[in-house]
Amino acid sequence: MIPPGFIQDLLARTDIVEVVGRHVELKKAGINHKGLCPFHGEKSPSFIVSPTRQTYHCFGCGVHGNAVGFLMEYSGLGFVEAVQDLAQQVGMVVPEDERSAEERERAAQQKQRQATLTEVLERAAKHYRVQLKKSPRAIDYLKKRGLTGQIAAHFGLGFAPEGWRSLASAFPSYDDPLLTECGMVISHPADEKEAGDAAVGTSTDNTASNSGTREAKRYDRFRDRIMFPIRNVQGETIGFGGRVLDKGEPKYLNSPETPVFSKGRELYGLFEARAGLRQRGYALVVEGYMDVVALAQSGFNNAVATLGTACTAEHVQKLFRFTETVVFSFDGDAAGRRAAGRALEAALPYATDVRSVKFLFLPAEHDPDSYVREFGPEAFERCVTDAIPLSRQVIESAAEGCDLAVAEGRARLLANAKPLWNALPAGLLKRQLLGDLARRSQLPDQELLALWQVNPSPASHTRRADERDAQRGDESPEPPPHHHDANSGSGSSSDSGGQAKSWKKKEWKKDWKPSGNWKRRGEPEDETIGTPRRQPAAKADHAVRMLLLNSDWWARLSPDDHQLLHELPGVHGELVAWLERYMVNHGACPWSVLEAALAEDDLLTQARALTGELYSEDEMAFEDFQSLIKGLWLVRLKAESGRLAASNPQGADFERFKQVLEQIRALEASTPPAP
């Protein structure tokens, strides 16, 4: 584990403008820097980098964070890798963690082993690229698929020639065990009678066995195939996919699982699609390598593909690190529908209210590559625009094979939908989908909520409690004047003292008519009913917010102002005291550093609750902070004057009362009127 203190020192030494500027074109905008957001497509810049706070924030998609967070989001790095990358940029050495020496040694060996394997794979990729240039047959195949040399070079396409030991010319030793470990060479014991051995029986591999020795038979895994290098988000080659040129099985052959390659975590084309994801604003998930390359050739440079396996939750999670919108494209046949079902299940836990997941089904006779070549990019773009949203896909998937004209079919629909609906994270999307399911099954929303045992909003809970009371004939202790209970009998009730109280039912007039803007029947219920309202920020909240974002202002305040802030009640004063202690040891720091330190001391949640929205395009001025301090003084002095006036002050108390009034007048005279 990396010590938190190191993270704070690292962020303090980092210039976030320099870090972000390596990947985003930034222009000076006042004291900030502005550019096009690298995390979603936009035409006018809304991405702000603040050198004073050492943070970035996009007002378009809401992404924000510090330098470490930017490297994680942009480059797809893990936390440790991002810290190590940033430390290397500023010339710092990440300290050893709390693991034992043996554990650290094993981790270092594993990292070195992975680096060695990626070097072997990159060498193989270069060999395949050279072989492609030498093969007119392979070049002709790619041209027939509509690919140019430029797009082939962009994806690093190559060719594995026929022959059992093509890689022997690329490596000094074909017997190197690393070739087997990274999946490029298959090795069989010489005495095994397997199909693979039979296929190699007449090759030069038999030389060793003919001499009587028991050496392993070795041959290339990929032969006579177009080679698609698979890269991780850092651009390292971690595996290959090979496609046959002519008819043959399997059509696609992938690298096996290795220490650097896992099909369930990696996506083909993600490294190449990073810029396209930002430009187009969504990820297009397809099924084949050739689909990705062909779509890029047609202008869809945001396509990725799963690696011969179903879409997993890790695939979806990785995509949402680069974009907020994912479109899955499948064939319209039964296999495509099954693949869509697995993708739906993988995506549901990550489908928050601010993310979009859609499903595109092409005609059964087409894949994305063939569809674009026959109908053109514009037609495919329209298909993407008309893709089915996740909410509708959930309903259609649950309703498959259900006869909704009968109760049994509707019950089966709900039984199919419940596990899918439960997988969604809490939010308005989940609530609205429940309403759609209720209407399809001809049930009231609230009844379906009760059946699925969901925690409803306080308002709906109260309504259902009233309904249950009415049905049971329960008697309210003190019903409000407008309460009407048809089953309440005499209407008598008992108070806490056990004495009966009687109340009269309200008689509705026959000519009563509603007034005002009453909601019509059948309109959807307001989803915000029953949700807590956010309290307006108080002056103390604003003061703490400004101070945390501009800690150097502390030194510009007077000792009396310091004392005033220290004496703020509750968590306000606690945060002020923490800030002063921190600055005694570390000096004034940008918000990114304070944020890490607050997290270490378990105070970040309280700080964020007070500060609310930390990001704004306009920087705050110290004069505004001074005016806020004056406002806090006025609140305090007026409260003191009120207490003194109520006590009929005499002597010293009266003199203090006059002094407080004079201070109030002076502060009010120096404070500009509110606009």
Side-chain angles (χ1 to χ4, degrees), residues 186-197:
I186 296 174
S187 177
H188 286 296
D191 58 350
E192 285 190 3
K193 303 299 181 182
E194 297 183 355
D197 293 351

Side-chain angles (χ1 to χ4, degrees), residues 446 450 456 460-475 485 487:
Q446 298 302 327
S460 61
H461 177 78
T462 302
R463 287 195 300 271
R464 288 208 307 277
D466 289 344
E467 292 166 3
R468 288 195 302 267
D469 291 345
Q471 292 168 359
R472 291 196 305 262
D474 291 350
E475 296 167 355
D485 190 346
N487 301 322

Side-chain angles (χ1 to χ4, degrees), residues 307-636:
L307 303 171
T309 184
C311 183
T312 67
E314 289 183 88
H315 288 147
V316 177
Q317 188 177 26
K318 180 171 285 190
L319 285 172
F320 278 133
R321 290 165 65 177
F322 293 90
T323 181
E324 294 297 322
T325 302
V326 175
V327 179
F328 293 100
S329 176
F330 299 101
D331 298 343
D333 56 12
R337 293 284 173 179
R338 289 193 298 271
R342 292 190 290 268
L344 175 64
E345 293 173 0
L348 283 170
Y350 304 99
T352 63
D353 293 342
V354 297
R355 290 172 175 168
S356 173
V357 178
K358 295 183 177 181
F359 295 83
L360 165 60
F361 295 98
L362 295 174
E365 66 274 12
H366 281 294
D367 56 25
D369 175 19
S370 64
Y371 191 92
V372 170
R373 282 190 285 128
E374 182 170 343
F375 300 105
E378 295 79 11
F380 187 75
E381 185 73 67
R382 287 193 294 272
C383 291
V384 172
T385 303
D386 297 335
I388 300 172
L390 176 138
S391 57
R392 204 167 84 204
Q393 181 63 19
V394 168
I395 296 175
E396 291 185 3
S397 177
E400 188 173 355
C402 300
D403 182 2
L404 301 185
V406 297
E408 291 84 353
R410 296 192 293 272
R412 184 180 176 187
L413 161 69
L414 293 179
N416 294 339
K418 184 177 180 181
L420 301 175
W421 186 84
N422 281 333
L424 282 168
L428 291 178
L429 173 61
K430 187 172 187 177
R431 179 63 182 85
Q432 292 181 71
L433 179 56
L434 183 133
D436 292 342
L437 288 167
R439 284 186 284 277
R440 291 291 292 271
S441 58
Q442 300 182 20
L443 281 177
D445 291 14
Q446 298 302 327
E447 187 172 341
L448 186 56
L449 274 171
L451 286 171
W452 284 359
Q453 297 179 347
V454 181
N455 292 327
S457 66
S460 61
H461 177 78
T462 302
R463 287 195 300 271
R464 288 208 307 277
D466 289 344
E467 292 166 3
R468 288 195 302 267
D469 291 345
Q471 292 168 359
R472 291 196 305 262
D474 291 350
E475 296 167 355
S476 173
E478 282 192 61
H482 62 274
H483 184 84
H484 177 65
D485 190 346
N487 301 322
S488 59
S490 64
S492 63
S493 61
S494 300
D495 61 11
S496 57
Q499 296 180 354
K501 292 186 177 182
S502 61
W503 52 279
K504 193 176 291 185
K505 296 182 189 176
K506 183 175 181 64
E507 296 293 337
W508 297 101
K509 296 180 180 180
K510 293 182 179 179
D511 59 348
W512 179 88
K513 293 182 179 179
S515 60
N517 185 20
W518 285 71
K519 192 175 93 170
R520 297 185 299 273
R521 280 192 177 184
E523 289 186 6
E525 183 179 351
D526 185 357
E527 298 291 344
T528 64
I529 292 177
T531 58
R533 294 183 180 179
R534 183 171 180 176
Q535 239 181 347
K539 285 185 173 64
D541 295 344
H542 286 306
V544 172
R545 173 179 182 268
M546 287 186 170
L547 200 54
L548 287 173
L549 295 181
N550 304 273
S551 58
D552 57 316
W553 289 354
W554 179 260
R556 300 168 67 177
L557 296 176
S558 68
D560 288 340
D561 292 339
H562 288 166
Q563 188 62 29
L564 170 71
L565 293 171
H566 270 291
E567 293 176 358
L568 289 173
V571 72
H572 299 83
E574 182 182 355
L575 286 171
V576 169
W578 177 90
L579 181 63
E580 186 177 44
R581 290 195 304 270
Y582 186 84
M583 289 196 297
V584 166
N585 297 318
H586 304 280
C589 299
W591 165 249
S592 63
V593 179
L594 295 180
E595 187 178 31
L598 284 163
E600 181 185 0
D601 291 340
D602 295 327
L603 286 172
L604 184 57
T605 301
Q606 294 93 313
R608 282 181 171 163
L610 293 177
T611 54
E613 178 55 64
L614 292 170
Y615 302 95
S616 61
E617 189 164 350
D618 298 325
E619 294 284 342
M620 295 170 289
F622 181 67
E623 291 74 16
D624 297 328
F625 184 57
Q626 285 181 308
S627 298
L628 188 57
I629 296 295
K630 288 180 181 179
L632 289 173
W633 275 115
L634 280 171
V635 170
R636 176 172 175 171

